[in-house]
Amino acid sequence: ARPSLYAVMVGVSDYKGEKLDLKYAAKDAGDMANAVSISAKKLLNSDGKEHVFIYDLTTNEKRYRLPEKNSIKKTFDEISAKATANDILLIFFAGHGVMAGEQKQFYFLTADASDATSTEEVTEVGISPAELTEWMKPQNIKAQKRILIFDACNSGQAIRDIVKVGNEGQGYIAARNDEQSRQIKAIDKLNEQSGFFILSASASNQNAYEMGR
């Protein structure tokens, strides 16, 4: 059967308050959504049926819904009711990424966050790799090909925080104290065993900058 593509494009430029606001995150997610839609439809819709489903969760005016944590989770729930094992799941996050908690875990800040958000509140307004892995696990979303892209500060840590889920090869643990070579092997094994590919804009504890050009 011809596969379908489910693309969740999350871009947060407008946070609560003004200090956290970004210039291009929402635009980047929207531009990425348009580019993916155009190219994927040429590839997948050649049988005259619709196989490309784009979920625009940005702070742009024209959007599917706001990129709040509950809205993002709701979108994953909707996809779980539709996606089959033959399908493709693409997730793009653009916005702020922070390190929080005793274990210094990565969190992507949703539109619920503000400059007043405390360290303790990050878990309520941010999405951790552990949560994301739970939302994506095979029991929830059956699509076996997954692409996860983080355009955020500290997003390299997300790769190291990915949690192994079940026995179906949907994750592979890369411990924080692993040597670099072991981390690379872990990521390679993740790709080969599960069709799960991750791209991050920065390493752990590294900023990802906005550039107008």
Side-chain angles (χ1 to χ4, degrees):
R2 189 175 297 275
S4 291
L5 169 69
Y6 296 90
V8 182
M9 317 304 282
V10 180
V12 189
S13 289
D14 186 14
Y15 288 89
K16 294 178 180 178
E18 297 182 357
K19 291 185 179 179
L20 290 180
D21 287 354
L22 296 167
K23 292 182 179 180
Y24 307 115
K27 181 183 183 300
D28 287 349
D31 289 346
M32 179 74 81
N34 288 334
V36 167
S37 178
I38 292 169
S39 58
K41 285 181 178 180
K42 290 180 180 179
L43 182 66
L44 300 177
N45 286 359
S46 57
D47 62 352
K49 298 179 181 179
E50 186 58 58
H51 294 281
V52 179
F53 304 95
I54 307 292
Y55 299 84
D56 186 339
L57 283 83
T58 68
T59 49
N60 294 327
E61 290 185 3
K62 295 181 179 180
R63 57 176 177 259
Y64 180 65
R65 54 173 58 117
L66 274 171
E68 298 168 330
K69 186 170 183 176
N70 287 338
S71 296
I72 297 170
K73 174 62 168 62
K74 185 177 180 180
T75 302
F76 276 81
D77 291 340
E78 290 179 7
I79 294 172
S80 71
K82 302 175 183 179
T84 67
N86 194 44
D87 294 335
I88 305 160
L89 177 66
L90 168 63
I91 307 166
F92 177 83
F93 285 103
H96 283 297
V98 299
M99 305 289 286
E102 294 181 2
Q103 303 298 322
K104 290 299 179 183
Q105 190 174 24
F106 173 82
Y107 287 88
F108 176 83
L109 295 185
T110 66
D112 299 300
S114 73
D115 51 286
T117 298
S118 66
T119 302
E120 293 75 20
E121 294 171 328
V122 167
T123 57
E124 301 298 321
V125 300
I127 299 173
S128 71
E131 286 178 298
L132 189 58
T133 304
E134 178 68 19
W135 297 352
M136 293 170 57
K137 69 182 184 181
Q139 296 92 320
N140 295 328
I141 297 181
K142 296 181 176 64
Q144 292 185 355
K145 297 298 181 185
R146 296 121 179 274
I147 305 99
L148 175 58
I149 303 172
F150 276 111
D151 188 2
C153 295
N154 305 299
S155 52
Q157 184 68 31
I159 297 174
R160 300 163 72 181
D161 285 345
I162 289 294
V163 178
K164 185 174 183 179
V165 178
N167 298 316
E168 299 190 40
Q170 294 302 317
Y172 185 81
I173 294 173
R176 291 183 180 81
N177 59 357
D178 277 357
E179 298 174 359
Q180 185 174 5
S181 60
R182 289 185 63 199
Q183 291 174 11
I184 292 171
K185 289 179 181 178
I187 294 167
D188 286 344
K189 189 170 183 179
L190 175 68
N191 295 344
E192 292 171 3
Q193 289 189 350
S194 66
F196 189 178
F197 296 85
I198 308 175
L199 177 66
S200 66
S202 62
S204 306
N205 300 312
Q206 185 181 58
N207 292 327
Y209 295 99
E210 292 196 304
M211 296 180 66
R213 69 187 182 91

